[in-house]
Amino acid sequence: MKLVRYGAAGKEKPGLIDAQGKLRDLSAVVKDIGPEQLGDAALAKLRKLKTDKLPLVRGSPRLGSPVAGVPKFIAIGLNYSDHAAESNMPIPKEPIVFMKATSCIQGPNDPVMLPKGSVKSDWEVELGVVIGSLARHVSQKEALNFVAGYCTINDVSEREFQLERGSQWDKGKGCDTFGPLGPWLVTRDDIPNPQKLGMWLDLNGKRVQTGNTKTMIFSVAKIVSHLSQYMTLMPGDVITTGTPPGVGLGMKPPLYLKKGDVMTLGIEGLGEQRQVVVPFKRL
């Protein structure tokens, strides 16, 4: 099942993508796609709907983040060994955890805005994991049972802020517009093996990242279990799980985003994103 939120920013409506790839409105069924709609029981009710009876949404409306009211936006760093190598950093012995500000979350095709003073903004295609039910001290074996579904994420990063301003990664990861999610949330029943998904990112039509989640150092199950030992994972929490090689930081010489650049990216079964890079503007 592919769940979406569509419409103007801040006024999104819930929807789903039917078997024919058409957008159907869910407004008469649920008020939104957020923490209350992500548990197993709530998703089971949505699966029972006769989608062909739901209102068809005409045209091509803007897509917002497929999840509303995200409590925490958690990120895992250096989770692909070849990305760690291109970043000149050691392979971690356990997951590197940092946070992205929830205020950076936006729709999958909304513009990405360069932060004020940015000279090293970068791209990262990543698998997103959305938590469906409260998880605290869960085992790796049971961890995926707490997942509602998966989505594509661009973990946009300002490398100078991240690495040269006191090595506080959060500062370079949570800038406005730095968290495009979507286009949709694919429920876990449609992704039986999250460790077998191809992923890619193009910059201005040129392929710069190609990878597969099978090469992750720490699996989704390991990450969910690990995080649940240190914090309670809540319904609606989003975890972005690391990127394969091909980021601008690792190029020789390094290549960073500039006004007018276009990023297109996608993950197998989870849909594609497209963002145009725009200059800083006070919101």
Side-chain angles (χ1 to χ4, degrees):
M1 187 166 53
K2 296 176 179 176
L3 301 175
V4 301
R5 298 174 65 250
Y6 69 95
K11 298 181 179 179
E12 293 92 347
K13 296 179 180 181
L16 62 76
I17 305 297
D18 68 17
Q20 288 71 45
K22 296 179 180 179
L23 175 58
R24 301 279 180 169
D25 181 59
L26 280 176
S27 298
V29 182
V30 292
K31 63 180 181 180
D32 209 339
I33 305 298
E36 295 179 0
Q37 291 78 37
L38 296 175
D40 286 349
L43 292 176
K45 290 181 180 180
L46 292 180
R47 288 190 195 96
K48 293 179 181 178
L49 294 173
K50 295 183 178 181
T51 57
D52 59 339
K53 303 298 184 182
L54 295 170
L56 186 64
V57 179
R58 304 292 181 181
S60 301
R62 169 190 173 270
L63 295 179
S65 164
V67 184
V70 174
K72 295 191 291 295
F73 194 1
I74 311 163
I76 305 299
L78 303 177
N79 197 27
Y80 291 72
S81 57
D82 34 14
H83 172 57
E86 72 174 352
S87 302
N88 293 314
M89 296 182 183
I91 296 173
K93 293 182 172 60
E94 64 178 66
I96 294 175
V97 180
F98 60 94
M99 309 294 283
K100 286 178 73 80
T102 55
S103 55
C104 80
I105 293 173
Q106 64 170 19
N109 303 315
D110 294 340
V112 164
M113 181 179 68
L114 296 172
K116 185 176 182 180
S118 169
V119 294
K120 295 183 179 180
S121 288
D122 204 348
W123 56 85
E124 294 189 9
V125 59
E126 303 198 4
L127 171 65
V129 179
V130 180
I131 297 299
S133 54
L134 188 149
R136 181 185 296 130
H137 291 280
V138 302
S139 69
Q140 187 170 333
K141 183 178 180 179
E142 64 181 338
L144 295 186
N145 295 330
F146 295 84
V147 173
Y150 305 92
C151 64
T152 301
I153 294 179
N154 189 355
D155 176 21
V156 188
S157 310
E158 214 299 339
R159 302 302 188 189
E160 182 180 8
F161 298 178
Q162 175 192 359
L163 301 172
E164 301 173 36
R165 301 285 182 88
S167 295
Q168 299 175 50
W169 284 25
D170 298 31
K171 293 194 296 188
K173 294 285 190 170
C175 304
D176 291 337
T177 77
F178 271 25
L181 270 61
W184 39 69
L185 168 66
V186 181
T187 52
R188 75 170 189 266
D189 55 309
D190 283 348
I191 306 292
N193 184 2
Q195 304 307 147
K196 196 177 180 181
L197 303 175
M199 54 205 308
W200 57 271
L201 185 145
D202 291 350
L203 179 66
N204 300 325
K206 179 181 179 181
R207 184 63 45 91
V208 290
Q209 283 191 280
T210 302
N212 193 293
T213 57
K214 67 183 179 182
T215 66
M216 288 168 59
I217 299 170
F218 305 108
S219 68
V220 171
K222 172 63 177 178
I223 289 168
V224 171
S225 174
H226 180 82
L227 291 174
S228 77
Q229 313 306 311
Y230 299 98
M231 64 187 82
T232 298
L233 298 176
M234 306 294 294
D237 281 350
V238 175
I239 306 167
T240 190
T241 58
T243 196
V247 301
L249 173 68
M251 295 185 176
K252 301 186 186 311
L255 177 66
Y256 297 113
L257 296 170
K258 64 182 185 305
K259 173 185 174 183
D261 282 345
V262 177
M263 293 176 284
T264 52
L265 58 144
I267 297 179
E268 182 180 354
L270 302 181
E272 300 180 6
Q273 303 183 354
R274 180 182 186 275
Q275 299 112 27
V276 177
V277 178
V278 298
F280 172 79
K281 180 179 180 181
R282 192 179 300 275
L283 298 177

